[in-house]
Amino acid sequence: MREKALKIILIFIGAAFIVIMLIMPLLTVIAYALRQGWNTFFNAISDPYAIKALKLTLFTTIISLVVNTVFGIFAAWAITKFNFRAKQILITLIDIPFSISPIIAGLIFIVVFGRIGWAYPLLEALNIKVVFAVPGIVLATIFVTFPFVSRELIPLMNSSGSDEEEAAALMGAKGFYIFRKITLPHIKWSLLYGMILCTARALGEFGAVSVVSGHLRGKTNTLPLHVEILYSEFNLTAAFSVASLLVIIAVIILILRNLIEYRLKRGEND
Amino acid sequence: MQALQKFKGKNKANKSIIPGFGLSMGITLSMLSFIVLIPLASVLLSLKDISFSEFIEVIVDRQTVSAYKVSISCAFIASSINVVFGVLLAWILTRYKFPCKRIFDGLIELPFALPTAVAGISLTTLYSDKGWIGALFNKIGVKISYTKVGITIAMIFIGIPFVVRSIQPILEKLDSQYEEAAAILGADKHIIFLKVIFPEILPAMLTGFALAFARSIGEYGSVVFIAGNIPYKTQITPLIIMSKLEQFNYPAATSIALIMIIFSFIILFGINVLSSRVNKIASGD
């Protein structure tokens, strides 16, 4: 009897935490987005600046996703299929962006490409703008999402070993053929999982992008930065309307993530 | 490329027949260098414009030191609270069956999926005088938004998944035969928890704490709105760096950034040591 009471109390506390800390912030976004009716909501999300911000966010996300997926696959291949010294150091170096503040992630590109950066004269000569322009935003986003794919693949490829790949190589198969026919089917769900995490972070990155963007409306504004501008202009309804778009994307990502996690767990048990 | 050759030459033991070492290692090292290592090292390079005494002056400036204190104290309290709720949530999600369990389990990841700026404005509004929760506290005279309590709440929000997801796999893998043995020997429920389960999950709790702490210290988007940016009271360290950048005071911004980088490397090192212990437990050694 006491145990049952304890169970109910613990579940109640856990549920209260989840409702207050996680569900209520979500409901706040929706409630504020719709508090002046659907018309205001649609006006806010169809505003030309909002649409430009959405386009830039999607563009940045796609590039980061492609770059980090390519990197993640090559890095996982190098780390798990071969023996070399300093392997653990390499893994730790790849994980650095996780432990760095997003503000610093933006700052490091300013000290390279900004007015004070060592690469600035070169960029000036080539007439390329990186900081306070789209390339800076893309670079900062790639940096913050850098380890996402590789860190999902490395543990899995480590534990599955390389016997099958070795057998294929002995029989004369080429590298990419081995990867496509043997490795990829093993890792496809983990790869997708890492790509989804990468997408989520890239879509929502705020701090790093905020540092390098220069907040030029219609030019270097991503969706999260657009939300910030609307909010700081005390245009709460518009800010939350645009934010609700990001919430919808976040919820879709969350569902996909859980579906894939479920597949991964089932795969482990097979 | 020469460095790579040397790298390969050193490893005579590496006689893998799997192709692609040169290509994959080359791509890995060059992308890592261009995107992470060289930009990070440039922070040091850019400090050449500032003398050592100026550097010290910047990093021990009164306003900056108070920002370190706010960041560290709020992150510490938030991560401690997260450890308590993290253990509780991991426990109910692994040990009990109840309605909506899968939805709760999925929602734990929300702080990872929700853009930080959205979380920031939403928490600020929710806990302001007019928000659903803030209004309740306002009646008894407690302000949450624009105070350290608000900062702590935002840090709890972003830190919770780290703790739950560190502990959950350990609880799942924990062999129930020890608990059963202890119960058969007549041990009380709370003694079983303290003597059998707690030592097993302790390293995971510490890892979760360290991960949540590291994230909270560096976090910007979800904290900056609710912090309100009042000097000496609710200014966090990343915000100081941001405001130095906005004043184009790059030497000061990079000096403080260097301190934060060193700090996060220390935490990263601690996490690596801890999680190698956790992995040993999880893999059942």
Side-chain angles (χ1 to χ4, degrees):
Chain A
M1 215 33 228
R2 260 186 65 199
E3 197 173 320
K4 188 139 199 211
L6 180 72
K7 174 182 161 177
I8 289 170
I9 292 168
L10 290 180
I11 291 176
F12 180 78
I13 298 173
F17 181 90
I18 287 177
V19 169
I20 293 172
M21 287 308 302
L22 303 174
I23 297 177
M24 284 184 77
L26 275 191
L27 294 180
T28 304
V29 176
I30 308 296
Y32 271 78
L34 297 176
R35 69 176 178 167
Q36 288 172 358
W38 287 96
N39 268 340
T40 330
F41 173 79
F42 282 119
N43 281 339
I45 59 168
S46 57
D47 174 78
Y49 286 124
I51 290 177
K52 275 195 174 155
L54 176 67
K55 279 185 187 158
L56 180 57
T57 295
L58 292 178
F59 174 76
T60 311
T61 304
I62 290 169
I63 294 188
S64 312
L65 185 62
V66 171
V67 170
N68 288 328
T69 304
V70 170
F71 169 78
I73 291 171
F74 277 113
W77 186 267
I79 286 170
T80 59
K81 299 296 170 205
F82 306 97
N83 286 317
F84 55 91
R85 274 190 221 163
K87 189 182 271 196
Q88 196 52 48
I89 294 177
L90 184 59
I91 296 175
T92 310
L93 288 178
I94 293 173
D95 272 349
I96 283 179
F98 271 144
S99 58
I100 296 262
S101 171
I103 294 298
I104 295 175
L107 177 134
I108 59 174
F109 291 104
I110 289 197
V111 300
V112 177
F113 300 111
R115 204 165 38 83
I116 52 153
W118 52 263
Y120 188 70
L122 181 71
L123 292 178
E124 183 106 290
L126 296 170
N127 206 7
I128 304 173
K129 262 189 88 116
V130 173
V131 167
F132 305 144
V134 175
I137 293 178
V138 173
L139 273 173
T141 310
I142 294 174
F143 179 91
V144 293
T145 52
F146 196 63
F148 276 101
V149 176
S150 66
R151 104 176 316 216
E152 293 305 320
L153 296 183
I154 290 169
L156 179 70
M157 283 166 69
N158 236 343
S159 65
S160 57
S162 23
D163 296 348
E164 290 175 55
E165 282 88 352
E166 270 167 23
L170 274 179
M171 288 187 268
K174 291 271 192 317
F176 281 106
Y177 189 79
I178 299 177
F179 173 76
R180 203 158 49 85
K181 289 285 178 184
I182 295 172
T183 317
L184 190 60
H186 275 307
I187 61 164
K188 60 180 185 225
W189 291 110
S190 286
L191 180 65
L192 201 59
Y193 190 72
M195 287 168 74
I196 282 179
L197 298 187
C198 177
T199 309
R201 182 71 197 264
L203 278 172
E205 181 48 36
F206 175 69
V209 169
S210 183
V211 171
V212 292
S213 84
H215 296 95
L216 305 172
R217 230 183 226 212
K219 274 189 183 158
T220 60
N221 239 0
T222 61
L223 221 41
L225 293 176
H226 189 60
V227 170
E228 186 208 13
I229 289 183
L230 291 171
Y231 183 82
S232 60
E233 288 171 344
F234 300 105
N235 195 348
L236 284 192
T237 310
F240 279 106
S241 302
V242 177
S244 69
L245 285 184
L246 288 164
V247 166
I248 294 168
I249 300 174
V251 170
I252 294 172
I253 285 174
L254 214 54
I255 294 171
L256 281 177
R257 193 190 155 132
N258 274 284
L259 288 176
I260 293 173
E261 204 168 4
Y262 180 69
R263 295 275 329 212
L264 277 170
K265 279 199 177 150
R266 227 182 48 184
E268 268 174 28
N269 296 333
D270 278 351
Chain B
M1 256 349 251
Q2 238 175 10
L4 196 70
Q5 286 301 329
K6 249 174 94 183
F7 206 78
K8 276 168 95 175
K10 268 188 188 169
N11 295 286
K12 297 234 168 70
N14 178 27
K15 278 184 193 141
S16 178
I17 39 158
I18 299 175
F21 180 77
L23 178 69
S24 59
M25 189 55 90
I27 288 178
T28 305
L29 289 181
S30 49
M31 285 180 80
L32 180 67
S33 308
F34 281 119
I35 291 167
V36 180
L37 302 181
I38 295 174
L40 260 185
S42 304
V43 169
L44 287 176
L45 201 71
S46 76
L47 282 173
K48 69 178 191 307
D49 301 333
I50 181 172
S51 76
F52 187 70
S53 60
E54 281 173 318
F55 172 76
I56 297 292
E57 209 170 287
V58 167
I59 61 167
V60 298
D61 173 66
R62 210 161 73 86
Q63 195 174 345
T64 314
V65 170
S66 84
Y68 300 145
K69 283 183 189 157
V70 172
S71 283
I72 292 175
S73 61
C74 290
F76 187 84
I77 296 170
S79 311
S80 307
I81 294 172
N82 271 337
V83 169
V84 175
F85 281 102
V87 171
L88 189 144
L89 286 168
W91 180 263
I92 63 173
L93 289 173
T94 48
R95 294 300 168 103
Y96 299 144
K97 281 203 170 80
F98 55 93
C100 303
K101 182 173 148 172
R102 280 217 52 193
I103 294 175
F104 278 12
D105 196 23
L107 272 172
I108 299 287
E109 312 276 336
L110 178 74
F112 286 157
L114 194 65
T116 54
V118 175
I121 63 168
S122 168
L123 288 170
T124 312
T125 308
L126 183 60
Y127 287 95
S128 73
D129 314 347
K130 293 188 192 107
W132 294 333
I133 299 177
L136 293 178
F137 280 92
N138 201 33
K139 273 184 194 151
I140 55 166
V142 178
K143 278 193 174 292
I144 297 180
S145 281
Y146 318 121
T147 69
K148 280 180 203 158
V149 182
I151 299 177
T152 311
I153 285 177
M155 287 176 172
I156 294 175
F157 175 83
I158 49 157
I160 191 68
F162 290 102
V163 187
V164 177
R165 293 299 186 240
S166 300
I167 299 169
Q168 217 172 358
I170 307 290
L171 277 178
E172 271 165 12
K173 290 251 163 78
L174 201 62
D175 201 335
S176 61
Q177 65 178 358
Y178 297 113
E179 286 165 62
E180 279 162 21
I184 290 166
L185 293 170
D188 244 4
K189 273 277 158 190
H190 63 271
I191 300 223
I192 296 177
F193 185 82
L194 276 182
K195 298 271 176 181
V196 179
I197 300 169
F198 184 73
E200 288 285 315
I201 62 171
L202 184 64
M205 283 164 69
L206 290 173
T207 311
F209 178 89
L211 287 168
F213 185 73
R215 177 71 198 264
S216 301
I217 293 267
E219 178 57 23
Y220 181 72
S222 50
V223 181
V224 67
F225 296 99
I226 206 166
N229 194 10
I230 307 160
Y232 302 104
K233 284 191 179 144
T234 61
Q235 261 183 343
I236 49 167
T237 317
L239 204 116
I240 295 267
I241 299 178
M242 190 69 176
S243 56
K244 301 275 186 220
L245 281 172
E246 275 166 0
Q247 298 153 11
F248 298 104
N249 189 351
Y250 293 121
T254 43
S255 305
I256 303 166
L258 183 67
I259 298 298
M260 276 191 86
I261 291 172
I262 294 171
F263 193 76
S264 37
F265 278 1
I266 295 171
I267 300 178
L268 183 69
F269 179 75
I271 293 170
N272 272 338
V273 173
L274 272 173
S275 51
S276 65
R277 285 192 60 184
V278 173
N279 285 339
K280 267 185 196 161
I281 295 175
S283 61
D285 284 342

